[in-house]
Each structure stands twice: as structure tokens, then as C-alpha cells.
Amino acid sequence: MIRWRWGTVIEARREWRGSLELDVTVDKRRAEDPASVRALAYPALVGVPRAGDRVLLNLNALALGLGTGGYALVVALPDRLPDDTDMPGHVVKARYTPLQAIVLAADEEASPLRPALIDAADLGGMPVVVADLHSALPAVVAGALAQRPDARIAYVMTDGGALPAWFSRTLDGLAPLLAGTVTTGQSFGGDLESTNVHSGLLAARHGLRADLAIVTQGPGNLGTGTSWGFSGVAAGEAVNAVHALGGRAVAAPRISDADPRPRHRGVSHHSLTAFGRVALAPAALVMPSDLTAPLSDEVRAALSALCPPHTLVEVPSLDLAGPLDELPVRLSTMGRGLAEDTAYFLSAAAAGRYAASLTA
């Protein structure tokens, strides 16, 4: 189940919040093994690797040819273990895996936010944009800030994709634009930790004092090419959580006329399932009002079929191309940038604009 290899660190490469990229030589066990790999270490879990260190690697992502996660992962520095760190928290994430980590949840007893969260049970009408792909996050942020530049935006990261928030270079680049990140469920590494999406939304509202929140999974998307076998179904469950807590759900459907796969053209079947079958509570389904035909007609028809319980909202988006282009991070979805998949990014930005318009 795991392709284990020993390696030796050659040198460190890029570094961003919580992550360190390395060049590592590999002790080959098979003829097809690479002589060297690009590896990723999370110093908070394994310590800080240095040139010459022997490391234990997991090569599964490379063996599968994963695009998003195409790194060897550093599991341990066996000859130079990091010092113990005493943590005040007792919430365990990545539970019962070899790298289970102890974190301090925002609402547990030792947290300084405990008084604000112990009785918190309502979002007070806070708008929450729900999307199924991590690549939508920067576009939603751009649209929200174009509408309301002073908005406090919180990112609530679910555990359908990458578990460590540190993996996301996008999130690192967006940090100056965000009030903070809350990692939920089995995901970890955010500014605040929570046990589930419900408590994560409350932490965003009452802990980070957010005006609006964005819920998506971390980088990566698990899918089997079937109607129900994809991690984005959690987007529908997030809509239900927003409604249960007295927030206003704003759904950002996955819209594209550039995806080569028919099931993801127009409105992705992932969005139709998550928002049409899983979400039992109402949401505002946002689409750009200025999509070109025939895409606009196709999208409008697909989303109208989900109303009620949802409400279709059309929002101008063409003027958001400038704010998208000015983001401090590179836009990319399935390898396509803003020029290659304009409709996708404008649609996400339109959802952010609409959510910001609902804030006081």
C-alpha cells in the first residue's frame, strides 16, 4: 500500500508556510525507481531536513503520476528526530495513521477562544460561499474583495483533498487577503483547528470575526468517474451546515466550456449532484449574467432545474477579469489558467461578489 524508499537530502528548494521542498537522491529498490526526486517535508511533523540527512520517503504520489500531489513525501528523519513539543490541545487529526498530529481546537478548554465559542450556535446570517474545488478559492476571494475591499474573509478547509493546509501554495499566497484559515475534520495546519465543518464555520464567524466565509476542500480532488464517487459531495453537506447554523449559503457551481470531459462541461455533474441531490437546504446558485451563448443558455437551464429549493442568481462578472489577473497567486484548475478557462474563474468570482454584497 505504501512505496517506501530511503533517500538522502541533496539540498532545500522552495519554502512556504509549513512546507519545505527538497531535492533527494533515492536508494533504488526497483529498476524503474528514479535516481532523485522532488520531495516535500512538513517541518511541524518531521522536523527540518538538512543536506546530507537520511530520510524515509513515501513515493506513492509519484508512482501514481498525480499532478496535484506529485511529490515524494518525507515521513521521518530517523537519524535526527525533532524535539518533543508540548501541546496544550488534545484533538487528534489524521487519527490512527503513523503521522497523527495533536492540535488545539478553537473551541476546546485550553483555547483562548473558548469563551467566545462555548455557547456559539449561530452564524448571524453570515454569507458562506461553497465550492467543490480548491482552485475556486482565489477567484472567490477576488470577487468578494472587488465588491467589498474591507471584507474579512475566512477560509474553512474541508478534508476531501489534501489534509495539511501547508500543502497549498495558493493558500500561502492568499494569506494577506484572508482573516485566517480554519481546518476542519481530519485536515490540519490552519490558523484555527476544528472538529467538523459546523464548528469550523462558528470559529470563522466568532473566532476570526469573518464577514463571510468560503468552504472548499484542500488541493486535490478524489474522484472515480462515477455519479457519487467524488470528494466534492461534501459541498452539498456544507450547504446544509450553513443553513443549520443560520448562515446564508451561496453555491459556486463548477462552470466551464473548456474542460475536455463532457461530464464537466457547462455545469459539472459534480455540482449538479452536490447542490441538487446532497444539499437539502436552500442556497443561492450563482452564475455570471454575461456568459456568452450557448454556454449561458446551457448553464441557466441546468441550474434552473435545481430551483426550488435553490434560487438562481445572475451576477455581472466580466469586469472581474482585472481583479482575477491581479491576484498574488497563479490561477489554475486542472492545469488551465484564466485565459484557458475564463468561465470557470469568472463564475467563482461572481459567487464571491454576490456573497460580499450580502454583508453589512
Side-chain angles (χ1 to χ4, degrees):
M1 294 180 67
I2 296 179
R3 190 165 294 204
W4 300 107
R5 295 294 184 272
W6 291 109
T8 302
V9 177
I10 304 170
E11 63 179 355
R13 300 184 59 174
R14 294 180 293 179
E15 184 175 3
W16 59 94
R17 185 169 62 172
S19 296
L20 179 60
E21 188 180 87
L22 309 163
D23 284 330
V24 179
T25 59
V26 177
D27 295 352
K28 299 179 69 166
R29 296 176 63 187
R30 295 183 177 182
E32 65 269 23
D33 284 349
S36 63
V37 295
R38 186 179 55 157
L40 196 65
Y42 301 120
L45 298 183
V46 302
V48 181
R50 297 195 296 252
D53 279 340
R54 185 170 68 120
V55 291
L56 179 61
L57 300 171
N58 178 334
L59 261 60
N60 276 359
L62 289 175
L64 290 174
L66 298 181
T68 302
Y71 286 101
L73 295 175
V74 175
V75 180
L77 281 65
D79 301 324
R80 192 167 57 82
L81 297 177
D83 295 332
D84 293 343
T85 301
D86 294 328
M87 289 288 298
H90 71 272
V91 170
V92 181
K93 298 210 174 182
R95 290 185 284 278
Y96 298 99
T97 68
L99 289 179
Q100 63 180 1
I102 299 173
V103 301
L104 176 69
D107 55 356
E108 66 174 300
E109 290 85 349
S111 170
L113 293 175
R114 171 78 168 189
L117 294 175
I118 188 170
D119 294 320
D122 194 279
L123 298 177
M126 180 179 72
V128 180
V129 180
V130 179
D132 69 336
L133 293 181
H134 190 70
S135 57
L137 173 64
V140 176
V141 170
L145 292 179
Q147 177 70 27
R148 183 182 164 186
D150 65 339
R152 289 184 59 82
I153 304 171
Y155 171 43
V156 179
M157 177 174 144
T158 64
D159 57 11
L163 296 186
W166 309 314
F167 183 77
S168 175
R169 293 195 298 273
T170 294
L171 187 54
D172 180 59
L174 289 176
L177 305 180
L178 296 173
T181 295
V182 186
T183 36
T184 71
Q186 296 286 347
S187 69
F188 55 90
D191 300 290
L192 298 179
E193 303 281 358
S194 69
T195 56
N196 54 52
V197 171
H198 296 74
S199 61
L201 287 167
L202 291 168
R205 180 61 164 174
H206 301 285
L208 296 176
R209 296 179 290 107
D211 299 309
L212 66 93
I214 303 166
V215 179
T216 74
Q217 60 188 335
N221 178 62
L222 178 62
T224 61
T226 62
S227 297
W228 288 95
F230 65 101
S231 52
V233 294
E237 295 164 352
V239 169
N240 297 334
V242 173
H243 181 76
L245 294 172
R248 286 180 281 185
V250 177
R254 182 174 166 187
I255 296 169
S256 175
D257 58 357
D259 199 302
R261 298 163 295 179
R263 65 184 186 274
H264 292 304
R265 292 180 71 87
V267 180
S268 167
H269 79 105
H270 284 178
S271 291
L272 296 177
T273 298
F275 299 131
R277 301 288 300 280
V278 181
L280 303 179
L285 290 174
V286 177
M287 66 170 283
S289 61
D290 37 26
L291 290 174
T292 57
L295 179 62
S296 59
D297 297 333
E298 182 180 353
V299 168
R300 190 175 294 108
L303 295 180
S304 294
L306 307 185
C307 304
H310 305 309
T311 301
L312 180 61
V313 178
E314 299 194 30
V315 176
S317 70
L318 291 181
D319 62 317
L320 295 175
L324 286 170
D325 196 50
E326 294 167 2
L327 282 166
V329 299
R330 183 174 65 92
L331 293 171
S332 179
T333 184
M334 306 298 171
R336 299 184 299 274
L338 177 59
E340 295 79 26
D341 206 341
T342 305
Y344 172 80
F345 293 108
L346 286 180
S347 297
R353 164 175 274 174
Y354 178 70
S357 74
L358 299 177
T359 62

